[in-house]
Amino acid sequence: MILGIESSCDETAAAVVTDAGVVRSNVVHSQIPIHAQYGGVVPELASRNHMLAIQPVIAQALVDAGVTLDDIGAIAVTAGPGLAGSLLVGLQAAKAIAWSRRLPIVPIDHIAAHVHAPFLRDDTYAGAGELRPPYVALAVSGGHTSLYRVDGPGESTVLGQTLDDAAGEAFDKIAKMMGLPYPGGIYIDRLAQRGRADAIDLPRPMLHRDLDFSFSGLKTAARLALDAIFGDAPPDPEHPAFADLAASAQAAIVDVLVAKSLAACKQTGLKQLVVAGGVASNSGLRTRLASAAAKRGVTAFITPARYCTDNAAMIAGLGAALLAAGHGLSGDDLLTLDIHTTRRPAR
Ligand code: KG4
Ligand code: ZN
């Protein structure tokens, strides 16, 4: 049984996962209400609140799984990428438990854990069944928009990545301009369901150019569209163009993500595509990607929404796979463990 710990951004999370990747508990303490008033994550507040939450969250994960620390055989903890002060809180908690209990630690790359998440299993999700490396993975979150070729647990090569904003950041910044709460992706998703996606003409940046992404131009175009509709007045949520803008912006982001993911499959000749990260919970992306992949003979493995946004089950899940492959530090080697000590994907 593996205890997973995640504190890279504004979620304090802990989970217990079996050695075979079955999720026994998955506790996520979100700091969204704390950061929402500032319109984004404030790093110092994030680390302070991780310090308050980390022990109760770990204790809850053990209780929910019906186990004690005596049943835990290893700890998997996010070592990067992320906010330094936030990462340190999870890492120090992991080190303290590992040292006192003589347990090994597997340091985990947060993005590698996102793209391994489809392999998790629980009572209502049977896991990614026939998914086998190598596969293409789209990791799409608030901090990352990257396409990888994945050759095994934690073994990946970057095929393309964003040159400026991440897709989640584009969702959040457009939402912020519209006066929606932080983080805005989910609000755009909900609004888009009653708007017309073809109502406002927005650019599809770099649609047919290699596998890199760029979303900053789309943000500017959305700003201009908003100004054209509402002028200097605050955007009116009751105006029909309000939902249309959400639907059009979502369609523009989704079009680019879908086209590039399938282009990556074509370029690599791989027929399996994993989609993971917070933005992978977007309903428009899930529907469009599933149908576009099917048309091209690609099998899409779309991570269940509860394992898309930041969580520790995905950290423990990748930890289980890496431990089975002989990874893990223990004893005095724990002293060498610091944030950002995981291997980054090759480019
Ligand atoms: O993976 P994640 O929880 O944290 C990072 O590692 O960044 O991703 C958070 C991002 C935020 O930008 C949030 O707005 C976005 O995922 N997000 C969504 C949806 N749910 C979360 N974006 C679009 N539609 C959604 N339903
Ligand atoms: Zn994430």
Side-chain angles (χ1 to χ4, degrees), residues 59-181:
Q60 191 63 48
L62 294 170
V63 168
D64 287 0
V67 300
T68 69
L69 278 178
D70 292 342
D71 303 301
I72 300 295
I75 301 177
V77 61
T78 308
L83 300 170
S86 292
L87 287 165
L88 276 169
V89 177
L91 194 76
Q92 295 310 327
K95 275 182 163 183
I97 299 170
W99 187 259
S100 61
R101 294 267 160 176
R102 306 208 182 332
L103 296 174
I105 289 189
V106 204
I108 299 290
D109 178 281
H110 180 87
I111 308 299
H114 270 302
V115 305
H116 194 77
F119 288 105
L120 290 168
R121 284 179 289 142
D122 62 28
D123 290 347
T124 57
Y125 171 62
E130 69 278 26
L131 174 63
R132 296 279 177 281
Y135 57 84
V136 170
L138 171 70
V140 68
S141 71
H144 296 266
T145 300
S146 307
L147 277 162
Y148 298 99
R149 176 198 159 97
V150 181
D151 285 291
E155 295 282 329
S156 60
T157 317
V158 179
L159 300 171
Q161 61 194 357
T162 183
L163 304 177
D164 41 53
D165 292 349
E169 224 175 320
F171 268 109
D172 295 346
K173 286 183 179 160
I174 293 171
K176 192 173 178 181
M177 301 173 196
M178 295 172 71
L180 296 168

Side-chain angles (χ1 to χ4, degrees), residues 307-331:
Y307 302 131
C308 282
T309 41
D310 287 350
N311 65 87
M314 68 182 192
I315 305 300
L318 178 55
L322 290 176
L323 270 171
H327 294 257
L329 301 169
S330 53

Side-chain angles (χ1 to χ4, degrees), residues 281-303:
S281 49
N282 182 266
S283 58
L285 177 61
R286 298 175 80 85
T287 318
R288 283 279 316 288
L289 204 116
S291 65
K295 272 191 207 130
R296 306 271 187 96
V298 168
T299 312
F301 296 89
I302 306 178
T303 310

